[in-house]
């Protein structure tokens, strides 16, 4: 297609030749041409110009010459026949010209087609959004429905024994959402923070942290090894000052523990590894160190038998110091690692509460803080679980938190 415009001309003539014919359009200096209307209607070719033409200056007709715009369409006889057929469809009076009324019919048809395409585009986008929005729900439904197909009986039995009210990650996420939504929490006014172990197993897709980060749209990391809030009071202060104006804080804290297919607590078969590893390695490592120091009797653990040189290990040293006075009664427990895990929960809870209580300007920035505490149970098959142990919320005007 070649377009030639005469500089300084007060009028513009536009022609195109489908094969042996020319359709001509004349207008004043301000006239522009939307070639898509004519080309889509007569030739099924889309173009992207805009066009408006006064009623008294538009004329479409046939000619065999082209001086301003030429389109050479060397189609088959069928193509040329189709072009003639389309022209004759809109040349209602058969005079070889497309007059104003006939051109209005072309415009009407094109507008109608455009609206249909727009409707289909919106519908397609809506369906796509629906698929994305329900992806996690679909995963959760399939996880529950098909769970019996890949259940690990020994792991399931041990979990029911030691963590009897544990929830699937998706159920926990949904329960927290429904409870806090009723209190005015939303992704727009809430900043989610978590204090869980840095172990990558806790960040797996469709599990607790991933689901809640997706739900609340962003997350602040407070935790380090074993889930202790090693960000400290400075980190908590930064978290607080990132909250939306007069917004809300949501904190989830938890130690974690693995259960392998043989029902061993503290053991986890990780994807891509043949050997069994520990979870939580930091908590179990601290426990093993305390055994060496004679703080408790020897415990013949199946996992974590390797020796590690720790010249620089400040977080583990802190875990050992905090865990040491909490081992009384471990010899009478059902499972030593489960005992350690519950003790780690208590340690983290105290540290989180200390951060909240000692932050004097807490309610200068936030209107409410909700805290969810529990134990994350890592499983290789069937999804991770969360044993809820506390759910509290404190508002600006309250002296004591609500037990949710």
């Amino acid at each position: 297609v070649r377009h030639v415009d005469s500089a300084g001309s007060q009028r513009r003539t536009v022609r195109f030749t489908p094969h042996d014919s020319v359709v001509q359009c004349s207008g004043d200096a301000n006239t522009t041409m939307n070639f898509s209307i004519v080309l889509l209607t007569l030739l099924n070719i889309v173009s992207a110009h805009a066009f408006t033409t006064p009623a008294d200056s538009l004329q479409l007709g046939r000619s065999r010459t082209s001086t301003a715009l030429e389109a050479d369409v060397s189609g088959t006889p069928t193509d040329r026949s189709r072009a003639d057929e389309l022209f004759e469809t809109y040349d209602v009076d058969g005079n070889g010209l497309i007059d104003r009324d006939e051109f209005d019919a072309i415009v009407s048809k094109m507008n109608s087609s455009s609206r249909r395409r727009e409707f289909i585009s919106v519908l397609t986008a809506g369906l796509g959004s629906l698929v994305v929005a329900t992806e996690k729900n679909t995963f959760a439904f399939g996880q529950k429905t098909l769970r019996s197909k890949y259940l690990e009986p020994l792991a399931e039995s041990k979990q029911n024994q030691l963590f009897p009210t544990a929830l699937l990650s998706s159920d926990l996420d949904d329960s927290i959402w429904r409870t806090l939504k009723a209190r005015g929490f939303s992704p727009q006014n809430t900043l989610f923070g978590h204090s869980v172990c840095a172990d990558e197993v806790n960040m797996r897709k469709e599990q607790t942290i991933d689901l809640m980060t997706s739900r609340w749209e962003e997350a602040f990391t407070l935790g380090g090894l074993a889930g202790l809030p090693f960000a400290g009071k400075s980190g908590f202060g930064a978290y607080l000052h990132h909250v939306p104006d007069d917004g809300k804080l949501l904190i989830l804290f938890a130690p974690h523990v693995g259960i392998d297919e043989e029902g061993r607590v503290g053991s986890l078969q990780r994807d891509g590894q043949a050997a069994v590893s520990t979870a939580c390695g930091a908590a179990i490592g601290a426990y093993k160190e305390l055994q060496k120091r004679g703080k408790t009797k020897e415990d013949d653990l199946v996992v974590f038998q390797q020796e590690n040189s720790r010249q620089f290990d400040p977080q583990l040293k802190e875990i050992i110091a905090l865990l040491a006075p909490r081992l009384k009664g471990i010899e009478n427990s059902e499972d030593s690692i489960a005992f350690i895990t519950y003790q780690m929960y208590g340690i983290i809870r105290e540290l989180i509460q200390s951060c909240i209580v000692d932050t004097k300007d807490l309610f200068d920035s936030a209107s409410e803080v909700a805290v969810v505490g529990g134990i994350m149970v890592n499983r290789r098959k069937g999804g991770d679980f969360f044993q809820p142990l506390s759910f509290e919320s404190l508002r600006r005007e309250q002296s004591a938190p609500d037990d949710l």
Side-chain angles (χ1 to χ4, degrees):
V1 176
R2 180 168 54 87
H3 180 239
V4 181
D5 193 3
S6 300
S9 174
Q10 294 300 307
R11 299 182 63 79
R12 179 181 298 170
T13 300
V14 181
R15 301 186 181 91
F16 71 88
T17 308
H19 51 93
D20 60 348
S21 302
V22 172
V23 178
Q24 174 181 307
C25 174
S26 302
D28 57 29
N30 294 322
T31 302
T32 58
M33 185 71 175
N34 183 345
F35 296 106
S36 64
I37 293 177
V38 179
L39 294 177
L40 273 173
T41 306
L42 303 181
L43 303 175
N44 293 325
I45 302 174
V46 179
S47 183
H49 298 275
F51 126 31
T52 56
T53 307
D56 60 352
S57 63
L58 176 66
Q59 182 184 42
L60 294 178
R62 293 191 178 215
S63 173
R64 290 182 178 273
T65 61
S66 174
T67 59
L69 176 69
E70 295 180 357
D72 183 12
V73 181
S74 56
T76 64
T78 301
D79 295 332
R80 293 194 293 271
S81 175
R82 178 60 177 161
D84 287 336
E85 183 180 319
L86 287 171
F87 186 89
E88 290 169 2
T89 298
Y90 292 97
D91 183 16
V92 178
D93 54 16
N95 64 355
L97 298 173
I98 300 295
D99 57 28
R100 176 63 186 186
D101 291 338
E102 292 166 341
F103 189 75
D104 282 346
I106 296 175
V107 173
S108 177
K109 181 177 180 62
M110 292 306 302
N111 285 340
S112 177
S113 297
S114 177
R115 285 191 294 270
R116 283 197 299 271
R117 287 193 298 274
E118 183 178 357
F119 173 77
I120 292 172
S121 297
V122 171
L123 179 62
T124 302
L127 290 173
S129 300
L130 183 62
V131 169
V132 173
T134 59
E135 179 182 355
K136 292 186 182 297
N137 291 335
T138 302
F139 180 90
F141 175 78
Q143 186 182 45
K144 295 174 186 176
T145 303
L146 303 175
R147 184 169 178 74
S148 61
K149 304 297 183 183
Y150 50 80
L151 196 65
E152 297 172 320
L154 296 178
E156 198 78 2
S157 175
K158 183 61 70 171
Q159 177 179 293
N160 292 338
Q161 174 190 347
L162 301 174
F163 309 102
T165 59
L167 301 172
L168 273 170
S169 299
S170 57
D171 289 338
L172 174 78
D173 170 56
D174 184 62
S175 180
I176 293 172
W177 165 251
R178 286 186 285 105
T179 301
L180 294 182
K181 183 180 179 182
R183 295 176 69 90
F185 283 69
S186 71
Q188 290 70 42
N189 68 8
T190 302
L191 181 58
F192 170 56
H194 55 79
S195 188
V196 301
C197 185
D199 193 326
E200 78 283 350
V201 74
N202 295 324
M203 310 301 166
R204 291 188 296 189
K205 285 204 171 287
E206 306 297 341
Q207 306 308 324
T208 299
I209 299 304
D210 174 65
L211 289 171
M212 293 193 64
T213 300
S214 177
R215 171 83 71 181
W216 300 100
E217 298 183 357
E218 56 186 355
F220 191 103
T221 300
L222 296 166
L225 291 181
L228 273 66
F230 281 109
K233 293 180 180 178
S234 295
F236 187 84
Y239 167 57
L240 169 63
H241 292 116
H242 295 175
V243 69
D245 292 342
D246 204 36
K248 301 173 185 290
L249 299 175
L250 168 59
I251 303 169
L252 180 138
F253 72 88
H256 74 116
V257 65
I259 304 179
D260 68 13
E261 63 181 356
E262 295 182 16
R264 295 176 297 187
V265 179
S267 175
L268 183 66
Q269 293 139 315
R270 298 173 186 266
D271 292 340
Q273 289 188 345
V276 174
S277 70
T278 56
C280 170
I284 295 173
Y287 177 43
K288 291 290 290 182
E289 182 64 27
L290 289 169
Q291 285 183 350
K292 289 180 183 179
R293 298 180 186 182
K295 298 294 183 179
T296 182
K297 68 175 185 178
E298 285 295 319
D299 189 344
D300 186 22
L301 297 175
V302 176
V303 294
F304 208 85
Q305 297 297 335
Q306 67 269 30
E307 297 294 332
N308 293 309
S309 176
R310 301 184 180 90
Q311 298 301 319
F312 177 74
D313 212 343
Q315 291 193 12
L316 187 63
K317 290 178 181 178
E318 187 67 18
I319 295 169
I320 292 171
L322 291 169
L323 182 60
R326 294 173 178 262
L327 296 179
K328 184 178 180 179
I330 192 170
E331 61 276 5
N332 299 320
S333 64
E334 290 184 271
D335 184 279
S336 60
I337 301 303
F339 180 92
I340 292 296
T341 305
Y342 276 102
Q343 297 307 310
M344 295 305 301
Y345 162 82
I347 293 171
I348 301 170
R349 178 181 170 86
E350 290 175 7
L351 293 173
I352 291 291
Q353 287 179 334
S354 176
C355 286
I356 293 173
V357 171
D358 293 345
T359 303
K360 302 305 180 184
D361 62 343
L362 174 66
F363 290 114
D364 291 345
S365 301
S367 62
E368 184 173 2
V369 54
V371 182
V372 180
I375 294 171
M376 299 174 68
V377 182
N378 305 128
R379 300 277 297 276
R380 184 173 188 178
K381 296 180 180 179
D384 289 350
F385 283 76
F386 190 97
Q387 170 64 62
L389 297 174
S390 62
F391 190 2
E392 298 175 317
S393 185
L394 181 67
R395 286 175 169 156
R396 178 180 290 148
E397 66 276 5
Q398 292 179 306
S399 58
D402 293 329
D403 186 354
L404 303 181

